[in-house]
Amino acid sequence: MDSDNRIPENKKLTTFNVVTGIILAGGVVLTILRFTMGLGTVTNLDNNNPWGIWIGFDLLCGVALAAGGYVTSATCYIFGLKRFHSAVRPAILTAFLGYALVVLALHYDVGRPWRLPYPVFYSPGTSSLLYEVGLCVFLYLTVLFIEYSPAAMEWLGFKKLRNVVVKLTLLLTIFGVVLSTLHQSSLGALFLIVPSKLHPLWYSSYLPVYFFISSMFAGMSMVIFEGSLAHRHLKDKMDETHLRENTGVVLGFGKAASFIMMGYVGIKIIGLSIDNNWHYLTTGWGLWYLLELIGFVLFPGILYAVGSREKNLTLIRVASLWTVLGIVLNRLNISVVAFNWHLPSAQRYCPSFMEIATSVFIVTLGIVIYRFIATRMPILHEHPDYRAH
Amino acid sequence: MSTRITGPIRRLKEDILENTIFTLQDFMTCTKGLTYIIMGGILVFMPLFWKFLTDREDD
């Protein structure tokens, strides 16, 4: 494990650094444009399509893929599967950064950042699902920050405060699971209000259930995918325990994800049946729906199953990337592609280049911050002074 | 040689794929009946799938 964080001169101008530098610089320009010239300058949003990819990708996908935090901490601390302990800190960090960036991305969409506290403290709309989502994200981001903070405190040397926070672990985990159950499902429930706008194949009264169940295997897949990236690029920051437990984490999460994905396919078929939407399957929309369900849920689910059975880690890692892409496809289908499906194509929403570039900027920002923290703080290794926990 | 589907299977095909349901009673009978059959199938499939996932754990 490498404890020296100084970067040699010849390693400062790497491809990664140059590309991220260009993306971040472009993102700063777009941010200035957005907040000085308004939404219309950088987006293709209008009154028919007020939610674009900043909601569909940055928010819906961000929240779903950050579900690894509650899934991993519940697995370890509530179900007592301590063999997954080494996966908790990276998962919590990913979730914390994911949610923090969701809130950041929301600022680009909503504007007027100084009004962020209004929905929670000034004018709570207690009958609104958006209020519930906002409150849950606010509370869960706080919970994730506290769950992540022991790593920062160990790095900073705040021993006493760190020990107090560690004692709250179980309480925070339970709180995190409750809040995640609420807002993951509520994000799906937001679309219950648009039965006439969302294509019947994606619209269902079970949308909250679909969003919650899919967040579970999205989170697990993200833990596997992010773990494999860390294993490849930050291996020198991993200690013996992390390297040893990694195989078990990949196999265990792969198996669990596979089982949940099969259940998810089952409840999606039940949704088709109960709404009698079979006849739509023979249309173009139906083929697109089947591609999402079979190509990006059933197929990676089978890959996970075979990979877990054969103990083939490469297959499981491929399945995790496939599943992450499937979740992105599902959330974009619901919020953008199958939304306003009946409108003529001239009135349909298509994201502008600047909207896509802003989303790329936000994702890149997350990767850079993750790398900064993981190379300095005890995320992928245990701090030598606190090995007992 | 084309085979002509007749009887209850033809009615099911018309009801489900061609969406020719005229009353709420028909709709509920058809959709709920089919859903219960699917749920039964899932109840049988999931334990078998779990067995498939875990039967090599002792190796």
Side-chain angles (χ1 to χ4, degrees):
Chain A
M1 195 185 73
D2 185 9
S3 59
D4 188 4
N5 293 318
R6 281 173 300 177
I7 305 163
E9 279 299 319
N10 62 344
K11 286 210 166 177
K12 280 182 181 168
L13 270 182
T14 58
T15 315
F16 175 84
N17 287 353
V18 172
V19 173
T20 47
I22 293 168
I23 294 172
L24 294 182
V28 170
V29 174
L30 289 171
T31 305
I32 294 167
L33 275 176
R34 156 66 186 99
F35 285 101
T36 53
M37 312 284 279
L39 271 178
T41 316
V42 286
T43 72
N44 283 343
L45 298 172
D46 56 37
N47 286 338
N48 274 333
N49 302 287
W51 283 1
I53 58 159
W54 289 349
I55 297 297
F57 179 75
D58 299 6
L59 198 145
L60 294 183
C61 297
V63 168
L65 297 174
Y70 88 85
V71 170
T72 314
S73 53
T75 306
C76 184
Y77 299 121
I78 295 179
F79 299 122
L81 300 171
K82 297 288 182 192
R83 64 180 185 276
F84 298 124
H85 185 256
S86 63
V88 173
R89 273 198 181 176
I92 292 289
L93 175 62
T94 311
F96 171 58
L97 292 177
Y99 275 86
L101 293 172
V102 160
V103 175
L104 177 72
L106 197 61
H107 282 310
Y108 283 75
D109 201 70
V110 177
R112 297 201 281 182
W114 57 93
R115 289 214 165 194
L116 185 67
Y118 273 52
V120 176
F121 297 109
Y122 285 88
S123 55
T126 49
S127 59
S128 161
L129 274 168
L130 268 180
Y131 167 72
E132 198 232 319
V133 172
L135 183 67
C136 277
V137 170
F138 160 67
L139 290 173
Y140 189 44
L141 186 58
T142 312
V143 165
L144 282 170
F145 175 71
I146 301 170
E147 281 187 298
Y148 149 76
S149 64
M153 289 174 194
E154 287 171 15
W155 182 56
L156 294 167
F158 298 161
K159 200 168 184 174
K160 281 185 182 168
L161 192 56
R162 179 260 179 209
N163 291 339
V164 173
V165 176
V166 163
K167 284 180 185 147
L168 299 173
T169 302
L170 182 62
L171 184 71
L172 290 168
T173 303
I174 295 169
F175 205 34
V177 170
V178 171
L179 289 169
S180 295
T181 310
L182 287 168
H183 73 263
Q184 293 282 0
S185 55
S186 297
L187 283 173
L190 286 177
F191 291 89
L192 291 179
I193 204 170
V194 287
S196 59
K197 289 185 178 179
L198 187 56
H199 191 280
L201 282 173
W202 282 272
Y203 183 86
S204 166
S205 53
Y206 297 119
L207 265 176
V209 182
Y210 295 158
F211 266 57
F212 177 59
I213 305 282
S214 59
S215 81
M216 288 186 210
F217 61 78
M220 288 174 184
S221 302
M222 201 58 197
V223 169
I224 297 170
F225 177 61
E226 170 238 304
S228 63
L229 284 182
H231 208 259
R232 191 167 178 171
H233 299 289
L234 297 168
K235 200 173 181 179
D236 58 328
K237 303 292 170 195
M238 290 181 160
D239 63 8
E240 195 61 33
T241 316
H242 276 72
L243 291 169
R244 197 180 54 243
E245 289 184 359
N246 184 262
T247 307
V249 170
V250 173
L251 289 173
F253 275 36
K255 190 184 299 173
S258 171
F259 191 70
I260 297 170
M261 286 163 91
M262 289 301 163
Y264 177 76
V265 171
I267 58 169
K268 288 287 270 189
I269 296 171
I270 288 174
L272 274 179
S273 171
I274 205 77
D275 290 334
N276 198 32
N277 283 332
W278 301 102
H279 57 286
Y280 287 110
L281 292 179
T282 51
T283 63
W285 285 104
L287 293 178
W288 186 244
Y289 178 84
L290 288 175
L291 177 76
E292 181 199 307
L293 191 62
I294 297 174
F296 287 89
V297 186
L298 186 64
F299 179 63
I302 293 169
L303 283 188
Y304 269 138
V306 175
S308 312
R309 232 171 105 86
E310 307 289 335
K311 301 200 175 3
N312 185 337
L313 300 187
T314 312
L315 205 57
I316 297 177
R317 284 176 179 142
V318 169
S320 71
L321 175 61
W322 210 297
T323 308
V324 167
L325 293 175
I327 288 294
V328 173
L329 181 66
N330 171 256
R331 298 306 195 256
L332 285 179
N333 275 343
I334 289 171
S335 61
V336 177
V337 181
F339 198 81
N340 278 334
W341 64 287
H342 55 281
L343 286 181
S345 56
Q347 291 177 36
R348 296 290 310 276
Y349 161 81
C350 181
S352 71
F353 169 74
M354 287 191 276
E355 276 179 273
I356 298 169
T358 307
S359 294
V360 172
F361 161 65
I362 288 169
V363 173
T364 310
L365 195 61
I367 294 169
V368 170
I369 299 171
Y370 181 93
R371 193 167 174 245
F372 178 86
I373 294 174
T375 49
R376 284 160 180 80
M377 298 179 200
I379 301 295
L380 301 168
H381 61 270
E382 282 183 296
H383 194 287
D385 297 345
Y386 305 91
R387 286 204 189 278
H389 179 67
Chain B
M1 190 184 77
S2 64
T3 48
R4 191 175 156 77
I5 305 168
T6 53
I9 297 174
R10 184 183 172 187
R11 270 209 307 281
L12 195 68
K13 179 178 169 284
E14 281 174 359
D15 284 354
I16 294 168
L17 287 177
E18 289 157 26
N19 211 25
T20 50
I21 294 173
F22 297 107
T23 65
L24 183 61
Q25 169 73 19
D26 277 357
F27 181 81
M28 298 307 273
T29 310
C30 178
T31 58
K32 281 206 159 187
L34 191 59
T35 305
Y36 281 131
I37 293 168
I38 292 168
M39 285 165 75
I42 292 170
L43 278 175
V44 173
F45 169 77
M46 289 308 279
L48 292 174
F49 184 65
W50 180 250
K51 198 166 157 33
F52 171 78
L53 276 177
T54 55
D55 65 355
R56 284 195 188 171
E57 269 182 1
D58 299 331
D59 293 355

